[in-house]
Amino acid sequence: MQHKGNEMKAIVSCKGITKVFGKGELAVHALRGIDLDIMEGDFATLAGPSGSGKTTLLNMIGALDHPTEGEVSVDGQSLSGMSKSALSDLRLEKVGFIFQAYNLVPVLSARENVEFVLRLAKVPAAERRSRADAALAEVGLKGMENRRPSALSGGQQQRVAIARALVGRPRIVLADEPTANLDSKTTAELVALMYRLNQESGITFLMGTHDPRVMAHSKRHIEMEDGKIISDTRS
Amino acid sequence: MESLKLLAPLAWRNLWRNPRRTVITLFVVSVGLWSILAMASFITAWGQSSRDATLRLLFAQGQIHAEGYLDNPNINRLMDPPDTALLAALNAPEISNWAARLELPAVVRSEYKTLPVTVVGVLPEAEIRISSIPQKLVEGRYLSGPEDDGAIIGLNLAKRLKTALGRRVILMITAQDGWLEERSFDVVGIYDADTAFEDTYIFTGRAAMQTMVGLGDEISQIAFEVPEDEALEGVIASLRAAAPAHDVRQWRKLSLIMGAMDASMAATVYVWMSVMMVMISIGVINTQLMAVFERIHEFGLLRALGLKPAHVLVLVTLESMLLIGLGVLIGMLAGAATVWGLAGGIDLSAFSQALEAFKSGEVLYLEIRPMDYVIFPLAIWLLGVWVALWPAWRAAKISPVEAMRHAT
C-alpha cells in the first residue's frame, strides 16, 4: 500500500452533483446533491438498491455523462465544459472501465482487446504488446492471448476486461456490477484479483455492486439510496 | 495514420461479422456494376454496328458539298472536282477513302408506277472502297465504270415499280438548262439494304449522269471515310481550311437521326447507371444502418474506452469503403470477363428483321473501353461511400451512456 494517512490525494471529487432525466412531471432525479471524494488507493464499493443512482454516479465520474448541476473533477481536472473529444482523451488516460456484461470487442483477440486502449494512446507497438501480455498474465490468462472472446468463458472474458482496464495505467478503475454475470467461484477469484492489484499496485477501484462477496473485501463502503449517499464508512 | 492502422483491420473484420449480409451487399453492388459495364459494352457495340452499317451505305464519316446544297439540293448548287489544296487534304493519312458523287433528286417511272427518288452518279472504283452497296447486290452486277449507264436499284423499289433485273426504268431529272430531262436506264443490279434506303437511292455511272443532265465534271458531294472517330474533328478542320467556300460536315450533322441515336445510346447507359445507383444506394444504406444499429452497444463501449466520435465516423465509413470497394472490384472483374467471354461476337442474325429497324449489323463485337472501367466503378464507389456517411454520422453521434444501455 502506498497510502500515507492524511497525505492521501483525492483522485475523484464530486461537488453537489445532481442529475435529472426528463423534464416537467416526467423528471426523474437520479442524483441529488452528491458530495464525494475518492482517494488515491481506495478500494471502494458503491452499494444500494436498483435505481439508487450507483450507475449514474459512476457514469458521471467516468466522464460518460454530465451532471445537471455540480462539478466532477478527475485527477484534479474539472470535467465541466470539456468537449466530447477531450472527454474521450480523459477516459483513455485516466479511467479504466469494467462493465457488467463482459463487453469485449468480439472481432478482436484477448490481446487485441487489451492492446486497443494502448493503440488509441499511441503506445509504440513493441511496448504495447509486452504491456498487453503482461496485463493478461497478471489476470491469469497467459497462453490465451490469441483467443477471441467467443472462445473464452465468462470469467475469462471479465479477466480480459480487467486487463484492458488496467493496461493503460489509469488513475482509477470504475467497475459497474463487475461480478453480476459470474458464478461464485469466478466471482471470488476476480474479487481477489482486483483486491490484490489494489494492494500491490495501489490502483484505485470504485465498484458499484450488490454483491456481498465484493463488499466483504471493500475498505470503503458507500451506501446510496434515492440518489443520495446515506453512509460512507471505512474499515 | 496510427488511428487508421487501428481502425482499418477492425473495419475489415467487422464486415465479416454477418457474412450473409455482406455477401448480399457485395452481390447487389457487383451485379449492379457488372450490368452497367456489360450494358455499356453492348450499347456501344450496338451503336458502333448501327453507325458503321449506316455510314458504310452512303454517308461515310463526313461529306463536302457546295454551300447551300444541303438546304436545297438541286443542279444549280454543285461544285467543281477537288482542286489541288482539297486533294491534298483528302489524301491525308487520316482519311482512308473518299469518293466524289453527283447526287440529284429525280423521278423514276416504270410501266406501273412513278416514284420520287434520289439518283447518285458514282465512280465505281471509289465506291467499292467507301460504300457497302457493291457488296449488297442480290441480283445482277455492279457498275463497271463512270460511263456505265446501267441502274442499280433497291429491292423494295423494284417491287414497288414492279420491275426486275434486265428491264428498263425511266429517270427524270432537272437538267442544267432547267428542263426536265428523261432517259431510260437498264436495271443491271438490285441491292438489299434497309427498306427506306432501298426506296430512295438509285445508282448509276457518274459520267453517264453528268452527260444526261448536261454537266461537265461538276459534282454535288465528296464523301470521306475516317477510321478513327477521334480524328474526325481534326480532319473536318483541315478540310474546311482547304475548301473554305464549301460546306464540310461530319455524319452527326448530316444525319440528325443518326446523331440523335448515337447520343441516346450513350444516354441509355447513364439512365441505367442511375437506376442501378439508386438500387445500390438503398442496399448500402440499409446494410450500414442495420450494421450500425446492431452495434450501438459496442460503439458505446468503444467510446467509453476512449474512441473519439471522429474515430467512430471513420470506422463505419471505412467499412463502407471496403464493402463497396470489394463489390466494385468483383463487378469490374465480372464485367471484363463477360466482355472477354463474348469477344468472338454476339450473333444476332436470328433477329435480323428487328435489327433492320436499328440498322445494326448481325454480329455485335463487344470491347472493353478503359474509361468505362474508371468512371462507372469510381462513380458507384463514391456514391456508395457518400450515402453510407449518414449511418456513420449517426454512429458517431451516439452518446456512450445511451449506447451502453442498449442490449448486446
Side-chain angles (χ1 to χ4, degrees), chain A residues 21 59 64-65 85 88-89 91-92 97 99 103 105-108 112 116-117 119-120 128 148 164, chain B residues 2 5-6 10 13-14 17 297-298 301-309 311 400-401 404-405 408:
Chain A
F21 293 108
N59 286 341
L64 293 173
D65 204 353
S85 181
S88 295
D89 286 338
R91 286 195 292 271
L92 181 64
F97 289 96
F99 299 101
N103 279 306
V105 181
V107 295
L108 300 179
E112 288 167 335
F116 190 82
V117 287
R119 294 191 74 153
L120 285 176
R128 205 164 62 213
R148 291 235 178 142
R164 183 180 62 192
Chain B
E2 185 61 33
K5 279 187 193 169
L6 168 68
L10 189 58
R13 290 188 201 179
N14 280 336
R17 292 168 75 153
H297 182 91
E298 191 175 307
L301 167 71
L302 295 172
R303 291 289 313 282
L305 293 177
L307 206 68
K308 296 179 183 180
H311 287 138
V401 172
M404 295 289 282
R405 285 199 199 110
T408 47

Side-chain angles (χ1 to χ4, degrees), chain B residues 81-386:
Chain B
D83 60 15
T84 314
L86 185 53
L87 269 177
L90 285 167
N91 290 326
E94 291 82 12
I95 297 178
S96 54
N97 293 297
W98 60 272
R101 299 166 177 154
L102 175 61
E103 182 179 313
L104 291 170
V107 171
V108 63
R109 197 174 74 213
S110 68
E111 302 95 308
Y112 301 99
K113 213 162 206 173
T114 301
L115 294 168
V117 291
T118 297
V119 181
V120 186
V122 298
L123 297 178
E125 193 184 338
E127 288 300 315
I128 285 167
R129 290 196 298 269
I130 200 169
S131 166
S132 59
I133 291 297
Q135 288 92 53
K136 288 185 175 292
L137 288 183
V138 289
E139 285 184 75
R141 62 168 177 84
Y142 194 60
L143 301 165
S144 56
E147 286 82 20
D148 190 336
D149 59 359
I152 307 285
I153 68 172
L155 194 58
N156 202 56
L157 184 64
K159 281 182 193 164
R160 291 175 71 198
L161 292 171
K162 295 184 182 173
T163 190
L165 188 72
R167 305 211 12 209
R168 299 197 125 206
V169 292
I170 308 294
L171 281 176
M172 289 182 285
I173 309 174
T174 303
Q176 173 81 348
D177 56 13
W179 289 90
L180 201 59
E181 195 66 43
E182 84 172 40
R183 232 194 91 182
S184 67
F185 285 75
D186 288 333
V187 177
V188 297
I190 294 177
Y191 68 87
D192 180 12
D194 66 82
T195 308
F197 192 90
E198 289 169 13
D199 283 347
T200 305
Y201 290 100
I202 294 178
F203 298 88
T204 188
R206 191 178 85 187
M209 188 173 164
Q210 285 165 333
T211 305
M212 174 186 168
V213 294
L215 292 172
D217 54 2
E218 293 97 326
I219 54 173
S220 63
Q221 70 173 240
I222 299 169
F224 54 90
E225 191 177 65
V226 181
E228 299 298 329
D229 199 48
E230 295 75 25
L232 189 55
E233 286 298 332
V235 168
I236 297 285
S238 69
L239 290 172
R240 280 180 181 154
H246 293 339
D247 180 5
V248 183
R249 295 188 192 187
Q250 60 150 294
W251 62 271
R252 289 180 183 87
K253 302 284 171 60
L254 287 166
S255 172
L256 296 178
I257 291 175
M258 279 294 295
M261 262 181 80
D262 195 59
S264 71
M265 283 189 168
T268 304
V269 175
Y270 284 98
V271 167
W272 183 249
M273 186 177 81
S274 305
V275 171
M276 284 295 106
M277 279 184 154
V278 169
M279 290 180 66
I280 289 169
S281 301
I282 291 169
V284 168
I285 285 184
N286 186 43
T287 303
Q288 289 308 88
L289 275 178
M290 283 172 70
V292 165
F293 286 135
E294 278 177 7
R295 289 187 286 146
I296 284 180
H297 182 91
E298 191 175 307
F299 289 128
L301 167 71
L302 295 172
R303 291 289 313 282
L305 293 177
L307 206 68
K308 296 179 183 180
H311 287 138
V312 176
L313 183 76
V314 170
L315 176 66
V316 179
T317 305
L318 276 175
E319 287 173 21
S320 308
M321 290 168 80
L322 290 169
L323 179 64
I324 301 159
L326 191 59
V328 160
L329 190 65
I330 295 169
M332 285 171 74
L333 292 174
T338 302
V339 175
W340 277 322
L342 297 170
I346 304 173
D347 187 357
L348 299 175
S349 54
F351 310 102
S352 55
Q353 273 198 315
L355 292 173
E356 188 184 301
F358 295 98
K359 305 185 191 316
S360 165
E362 291 183 351
V363 179
L364 299 185
Y365 295 96
L366 305 189
E367 59 183 59
I368 291 175
R369 295 191 309 168
M371 281 312 287
D372 285 355
Y373 283 74
V374 175
I375 291 170
F376 296 135
L378 194 64
I380 285 185
W381 187 72
L382 289 175
L383 177 85
V385 172
W386 183 69

